[in-house]
Amino acid sequence: GMSFGGLVASLVARAAKKLDARVRRLVSIDPIPPAPWTNAAFLNDMHGSGSSAAAYYLRICGDPKWEKAFGAVGPNDELAIACAQSLCAAGVRPFNSYEIIQTKREMRVMANNYRLTAHHVRCECNDYFDGPAMLVLASERVAFFGAVYSNTADESSAEACHKLGQVEKEIFLEGDHIDVCAGCAMMREEDFTSTLAAFLA
């Protein structure tokens, strides 16, 4: 799993082991910081979280102006229209009613991610996978999670992520959270693919 999925994978692996399932390995790619968090103020700011989600969504989709602030744009229909317009301007997609609906669906996935994150940071779960794990971390993760979620350096550190499993392999890749996750997902990171193959062998 990667990002929030990296943390979910640890929880699922732990639950599976409790049901006597065989879980061989856990691979977690730049996971969000494990709970507890000291500052979850962003969760009470739906406008702010919606704008942040839009910015990162557009970056993933290839908009070169992903850092643009959305100002008064809200997290619902207006945000979907703004995203669709930006994607069209970047030459990624045409701008029409279908693309607006599709963009809105994709934004709902991101909104659900925020809800899951909110649940996680308030649960203070410490019951993670206790088997062998491979941990992939972005070199700029502390800055990224500090800017997006207001995590402290300790909360987003490599040491904090070690609670997700018994780390046997750990690699650091250059870039921020999104760059590293995308690079690993597309198998573009040679260090990741070679280390993963050795870990799963």
Side-chain angles (χ1 to χ4, degrees):
M2 66 180 64
S3 191
F4 186 77
L7 184 139
V8 171
S10 176
L11 296 173
V12 170
R14 179 69 172 175
K17 284 195 71 174
K18 286 184 176 180
L19 295 173
D20 296 324
R22 182 169 178 258
V23 181
R24 292 182 57 238
R25 299 281 191 272
L26 169 71
V27 179
S28 188
I29 302 170
D30 210 38
I32 68 168
W37 292 3
T38 57
N39 183 2
F42 79 96
L43 297 169
N44 298 318
D45 180 8
M46 289 305 295
H47 168 73
S49 62
S51 296
S52 296
Y56 291 109
Y57 168 79
L58 291 174
R59 181 179 180 189
I60 292 170
C61 292
D63 187 342
K65 298 179 181 178
W66 67 274
E67 292 179 296
K68 173 185 175 184
F70 280 82
V73 176
N76 299 313
D77 290 349
E78 292 178 51
L79 184 58
I81 293 171
C83 284
Q85 287 174 329
S86 294
L87 291 170
C88 177
V92 177
R93 296 177 176 175
F95 181 72
N96 53 46
S97 58
Y98 171 80
E99 294 298 340
I100 293 173
I101 293 170
Q102 182 65 20
T103 300
K104 187 174 180 180
R105 287 175 180 157
E106 292 165 357
M107 291 301 301
R108 283 177 181 162
V109 172
M110 298 199 72
N112 189 51
N113 181 284
Y114 272 92
R115 285 193 292 272
L116 289 170
T117 302
H119 175 74
H120 159 66
V121 301
R122 288 169 177 155
C123 282
E124 299 191 14
C125 174
N126 287 297
D127 194 18
Y128 299 106
F129 182 54
D130 59 356
M134 173 178 160
L135 189 59
V136 181
L137 299 173
S139 62
E140 300 173 20
R141 67 174 276 115
V142 171
F144 177 90
F145 287 111
V148 176
Y149 294 131
S150 300
N151 289 117
T152 66
D154 286 341
E155 287 170 344
S156 54
S157 67
E159 290 73 20
C161 293
H162 284 185
K163 69 166 66 174
L164 297 180
Q166 297 175 12
V167 179
E168 293 185 356
K169 297 280 187 182
E170 182 175 17
I171 59 172
F172 290 85
L173 299 177
E174 288 298 319
D176 72 9
H177 176 71
I178 292 178
D179 292 333
V180 168
C181 286
C184 291
M186 298 177 186
M187 304 300 280
R188 293 190 311 227
E189 296 283 356
E190 291 185 9
D191 286 348
F192 167 70
T193 55
S194 60
T195 304
L196 178 65
F199 180 64
L200 297 178

